[in-house]
Amino acid sequence: MSQSPTPRSLVGGAPQATYVLRFDGRELTAQAGQSIAAVLWAAGILAWRTTRQGGAPRGAFCGIGSCHDCLVTVNGRPNQRACLVPARPGDTVTTQEGTGHATPEPGR
Amino acid sequence: MDVVIIGAGVVGAATAYYAARSGLSVAVVDRGPVAGGTTGAGEGNLLVSDKEAGPELDLALLSAGLWRELAAVLPQEIEYEAKGGLVVAPDEASLAALRTFADGQREAGVEAVEAGAGELRDLEPHLAPGPVGAFLYPQDAQVQPAQAAARLLAASGASVHLGQEVTEILTGPAGVRGVRTPGGALLAPAVVNAAGTWGGRIAELAGVTLPVLPRRGFVLVTEPLPQLVRHKVYAADYISDVASGSAALQSSAVVEGTPAGPVLIGATRERVGFDRSLSVEALRRLATQAAALFPVLARARVLRTYHGFRPYLPDHLPAIGPDPRIPGLLHACGHEGAGIGLAPATGVLIAAALAGAQPPLSPAPFRPDRFAEDPR
C-alpha cells in the first residue's frame, strides 16, 4: 500500500525546526508550531488523561479548545488543554489522573 | 390544550410539571432552547439562608420540600445535593446581625445552627482563619439548573415548542385565547407568562405592565479540583447585597463545589440593562473575595466565566398568579436570583390557580398587578 500524500508532501514542505519533549518519560519529536495534542497524536498516543469518576481514558475530542476533554499536565501544571498549548522545546508532559491536583492539607 | 406556558426555563418547566400532574393538557413555547435564558446562566441555588422571614421565605421553604420530593423521582442528572449553606460572619457586629436574622427565620420554620469559630475548621477545612462564627443552614441545597429544567420539562409530558417566539397574545371577549408564533397559533383558555427576565415584554404583548428589570450577574468557574468546599459558603454581606435596590456593582462571593469538580464562584449584581459585555472589575472582585474565604483558591485556575440576567421586580418578590386585568393570563416570573429554588412552589401555586384549587400558601403577596395602575 503506497503512502497517501499529505498536504505537506504535496507542496514539498519541511518543518522549520524539530525538538524533543518528554511524555511520561518517553522522548517524542515535536515540530515547530505543533500543539501538544498534535505531537502526541503523531506518536500514536491517543489518551493522556483519566476521568475524575471511573478513571476512563481521554484524549483530544473537539481539538479546538471547546470541550476540555484533552486536559493534560504540562511542566507540572495540570488542566492544560493539549489541543491549544504549543509544544515547546524541553516540555515535560505527564498523563493527568483525575483533577491533576493532590488534595491539599486542611487550612492551606 | 388547557394551558400554554411561555418560557422553557426552570419556572416554566416546573409549572408545566405541576399543571400536567393536576390533569391539564399543557404546551410550553420558548423563542430559544430549554434553559436558554436565566436558568442556564444560574448556579442552581436552592437557598433559604439568604431570605428574611416573609412571603419569599415561605415560598422558599415550600420549594425546599418540593425539591426533595422531585430529587427522588427525577433522574440523578439534576445533581441535587442537600449540602447545606454556611454563612460566615467576619466580625462580631455581623455575627450579631446574623443572629437576629436567623431568629426571625427560625420562627418561619428554617433550621439555622450557630457554629463557633472553633467549629469552622471541621465544617470547612480550607476556610481562611478569621471569621468569628457562622450559621449553618442544613436546608440549603443545589441542583444543576439546566438539567433540572430539562428533566422537569421531560417529566411533565407537555408538548414543547422551541425556537418559536411568541409574537402575539390572542384574546377574545372572554379573555385569553392563546398565543401566536411564527409556527402557528397555540390555542388555550389560559396562558402563563414564565418568560423570566423577558416577562415584562410578554406582559406588554398582552397589553399590561409588569416592571421586570434585568440585574446582571457573573459567575466564575475554576478548573476541576479535589473536594475543597463542602457547603455553599458565603459571607454575611451577601444577604444585604441580595436585598439591595442599588444599581451599582455589588459583589459578595458565594463559593461552592460541584459534583463534576469545578468550583463555582458567584455572584455579582448590577443593573446595567441587557449589556452582555464582560466586566473585568466584576470578575476581579469575585476572584479576590473567593480567595479571601478560601486561600487555596488563589492557586486555582479559572477556566471560564458566564453571566446572565436575573429578573428583578422593584419589591424583590416574584409575580405569581392570575392577572385580574386580563382573564386567562397568569404570570410566573420575576424571581430575581432565586428562580431555581422557587420554581416548584411557583408551579404548584400556578397549577392551583388554573385548577381553582386551594393553594398551599397565600399567593396574595405575589399579585402581578401590585405595581401600577392599569393604564387603560
Side-chain angles (χ1 to χ4, degrees), chain B residues 138-348:
Chain B
Q139 290 153 310
D140 282 357
Q142 180 176 335
V143 289
Q144 207 287 7
Q147 283 279 5
R151 306 290 170 165
L152 264 175
L153 192 55
S156 77
S159 74
V160 181
H161 306 262
L162 300 175
Q164 297 288 323
E165 181 157 10
V166 169
T167 54
E168 192 183 342
I169 308 290
L170 302 170
T171 53
V176 160
R177 291 194 302 118
V179 303
R180 189 182 306 288
T181 76
L186 292 166
L187 299 180
V191 169
V192 179
N193 170 16
T197 315
W198 299 271
R201 294 187 192 168
I202 297 297
E204 203 174 312
L205 278 184
V208 293
T209 55
L210 188 65
V212 185
L213 296 169
R215 199 173 181 194
R216 187 171 73 177
F218 283 92
V219 176
L220 295 178
V221 186
T222 74
E223 63 184 317
L225 297 167
Q227 193 189 35
L228 301 173
V229 183
R230 298 179 179 178
H231 303 85
K232 272 181 190 288
V233 182
Y234 60 91
D237 49 359
Y238 175 74
I239 294 167
S240 55
D241 275 10
V242 171
S244 164
S246 166
L249 173 65
Q250 294 157 301
S251 66
S252 42
V254 179
V255 183
E256 65 200 289
T258 61
V263 171
L264 298 184
I265 303 164
T268 56
R269 289 168 190 270
E270 58 191 319
R271 278 166 43 200
V272 290
F274 287 102
D275 178 359
R276 286 208 167 269
S277 58
L278 195 74
S279 165
V280 175
E281 172 61 15
L283 302 182
R284 191 188 63 76
R285 284 207 212 171
L286 281 180
T288 305
Q289 290 170 344
L293 279 171
F294 290 95
V296 66
L297 290 178
R299 297 190 296 274
R301 282 159 49 82
V302 169
L303 286 188
R304 64 187 181 96
T305 173
Y306 61 89
H307 58 302
F309 299 100
R310 302 176 186 86
Y312 164 81
L313 280 163
D315 59 2
H316 300 282
L317 291 178
I320 305 171
D323 191 322
R325 298 167 292 189
I326 299 187
L329 178 67
L330 298 90
H331 299 282
C333 60
H335 296 73
E336 202 165 336
I340 314 295
L342 301 179
T346 301
V348 164

Side-chain angles (χ1 to χ4, degrees), chain A residues 52-53 77 79 101 105 107-108, chain B residues 125-126 223-224 259-260 296 301:
Chain A
R52 301 187 284 280
Q53 287 161 29
R77 198 172 178 197
N79 294 315
H101 288 277
E105 294 297 310
R108 297 200 54 217
Chain B
H126 298 284
E223 63 184 317
V296 66
R301 282 159 49 82

